[in-house]
Amino acid sequence: MEKQEKKERKLLTENRMATVTKRETSFEGLVSQLENGEDGIYNMMTNNKNTIFQPKVMITKADVEEVPGMRQLREAIKIWEEKLKTASGRDAFIIKTAIIELRKDQYVLKDAYRRPIIPKNITRSKHYMPLDSDFSFDDEGYIVPEGVSLCDPKVVSAVLCNYSLLKQESWGEFEKDLWYLMQEFDEVADAALKDYPLYDRICEYKVDGLQNTDIQEKIQLEFGIKHSVEYISSLWRNKIPKLIASEAEDRLLDWYFTTEMKGKYKKCSRCGQVKLAHNKYFSKNKTSKDGFYSICKCCRNSKVKKP
């Protein structure tokens, strides 16, 4: 093409595109931008794990002081930059080329003296990490989880977003808390989602690394329902973790009031289910003998009355 045509078209060659599309970021920064957290990163990775995690290299003051020959190289660059200000034509082109090569030499020199550490396997440390959990009750009798507790929706959400990695790290590690956490999580999640096949399928697709747009198409084919990608994200981040945390809370309450303290149970007059006489299952009623309504919260909140 003619010189003028090249100027107008702003050519983007393969080498130029490699520079344009390249972005430097930290591991934490990238995790915060992905819905799946760390799982999202592992799903993006190719066989070469350095495609994403490329460290940023800069020439620092310490390099100028400590790397042999770096100070002289920097001084030479400054000298040629001053000469470039008054040069023109072919001389200017030659000087620019020389400056570019000298700048490249800075990093070659630093690399030879102080080689950067490039990660080959981004994995969590293998040292033992206790996952302690505890709980207390608030004034209304609700559980207040502490530590790494599945009664906390935030903890459940974190486990879901990092499920693949956590299962991999806990495999065969029977002496570690992580193995027991994942075993309990699988059991609680299965129980919580057994009546919600749509939610269960979304979890399956998310763990497999599918994007919301792909999940949208799959659930439309399987369930005949088209949800927005925003709604799918809301289910994944809010609704599903709360369902799983609620199931974990049910189990904890049942254990506490059968082993640690004698609890009172009552039968719902509408659905006939026997439930713990607790504020989570029955609304308070000061006129009742036991202080709760005879109909459970589930039935009271249901639009369709059960026979």
Side-chain angles (χ1 to χ4, degrees):
M1 288 186 290
E2 296 296 329
K3 186 180 294 185
Q4 185 62 30
E5 190 178 0
K6 288 182 180 179
K7 289 181 180 179
E8 292 175 356
R9 292 200 179 188
K10 297 181 180 179
L11 294 179
L12 290 176
T13 63
E14 289 185 6
N15 289 339
R16 175 60 180 159
M17 284 303 298
T19 305
V20 170
T21 58
K22 183 176 177 180
R23 295 290 182 272
E24 293 170 339
T25 183
S26 66
F27 180 77
E28 294 78 8
L30 192 56
V31 167
S32 66
Q33 298 300 317
L34 297 174
E35 186 180 81
N36 279 8
E38 290 184 28
D39 270 8
I41 294 177
Y42 287 93
N43 293 330
M44 291 167 60
M45 281 184 175
T46 61
N47 291 330
N48 178 11
K49 295 181 173 53
N50 293 326
T51 10
I52 295 178
F53 300 103
Q54 185 170 358
K56 186 175 183 179
V57 180
M58 298 179 64
I59 305 299
T60 64
K61 291 182 178 179
D63 295 329
V64 176
E65 297 294 331
E66 299 171 7
V67 177
M70 183 66 75
R71 182 181 294 279
Q72 292 83 350
L73 191 58
R74 298 280 288 187
E75 289 174 354
I77 292 173
K78 289 181 179 180
I79 291 171
W80 284 112
E81 285 176 339
E82 289 297 323
K83 290 185 177 181
L84 181 61
K85 293 178 181 179
T86 57
S88 61
R90 182 172 176 79
D91 291 339
F93 174 77
I94 294 174
I95 293 174
K96 282 183 181 179
T97 305
I99 292 173
I100 291 172
E101 293 301 321
L102 287 171
R103 286 174 177 168
K104 289 180 180 179
D105 289 342
Q106 295 179 107
Y107 297 95
V108 174
L109 190 61
K110 178 176 179 176
D111 187 36
Y113 181 78
R114 186 182 290 123
R115 186 173 295 276
I117 300 173
I118 301 178
K120 293 296 182 184
N121 291 305
I122 310 299
T123 57
R124 294 186 177 182
S125 59
K126 297 292 184 180
H127 66 274
Y128 174 72
M129 181 184 296
L131 303 176
D132 298 327
S133 65
D134 200 356
F135 68 96
S136 58
F137 291 99
D138 62 14
D139 296 337
E140 296 295 324
Y142 287 102
I143 288 177
V144 180
E146 300 173 10
V148 185
S149 171
L150 295 182
C151 295
D152 186 348
K154 292 182 180 179
V155 172
V156 173
S157 179
V159 173
L160 281 172
C161 291
N162 299 280
Y163 184 85
S164 296
L165 179 61
L166 291 173
K167 288 293 284 187
Q168 180 183 350
E169 291 293 321
S170 65
W171 181 259
E173 302 289 345
F174 307 114
E175 77 284 359
K176 294 184 179 179
D177 291 352
L178 183 58
W179 187 88
Y180 293 96
L181 173 69
M182 296 309 295
Q183 289 295 112
E184 183 184 1
F185 178 83
D186 288 342
E187 185 179 341
V188 173
D190 288 342
L193 302 179
K194 66 179 180 180
D195 295 328
Y196 301 90
L198 174 63
Y199 298 169
D200 186 61
R201 189 68 73 212
I202 289 175
C203 287
E204 179 183 331
Y205 291 145
K206 280 289 189 180
V207 169
D208 288 342
L210 270 66
Q211 299 298 316
N212 287 344
T213 51
D214 299 325
I215 296 174
Q216 183 185 46
E217 294 177 1
K218 287 184 175 292
I219 62 177
Q220 185 175 4
L221 290 173
E222 185 174 351
F223 297 94
I225 304 172
K226 185 175 181 180
H227 290 306
S228 66
V229 291
E230 293 81 11
Y231 182 69
I232 293 172
S233 179
S234 176
L235 290 176
W236 173 248
R237 281 294 189 179
N238 298 302
K239 181 69 174 180
I240 294 174
K242 287 180 180 178
L243 277 174
I244 298 174
S246 180
E247 174 66 24
E249 189 177 26
D250 290 342
R251 294 178 176 225
L252 184 56
L253 286 171
D254 186 56
W255 167 82
Y256 183 81
F257 288 105
T258 54
T259 60
E260 300 297 311
M261 181 182 294
K262 185 178 180 181
K264 295 180 180 180
Y265 289 79
K266 63 182 297 181
K267 185 177 182 180
C268 174
S269 60
R270 181 174 294 177
C271 65
Q273 293 185 18
V274 177
K275 300 182 179 181
L276 178 68
H278 186 273
N279 199 29
K280 182 181 179 182
Y281 309 107
F282 293 92
S283 297
K284 290 185 177 181
N285 182 9
K286 295 180 180 179
T287 61
S288 176
K289 290 182 179 180
D290 60 3
F292 296 100
Y293 280 100
S294 60
I295 300 175
C296 69
K297 282 186 175 180
C298 184
C299 292
R300 286 170 62 86
N301 295 332
S302 177
K303 294 181 180 179
V304 180
K305 294 183 179 181
K306 295 183 180 180

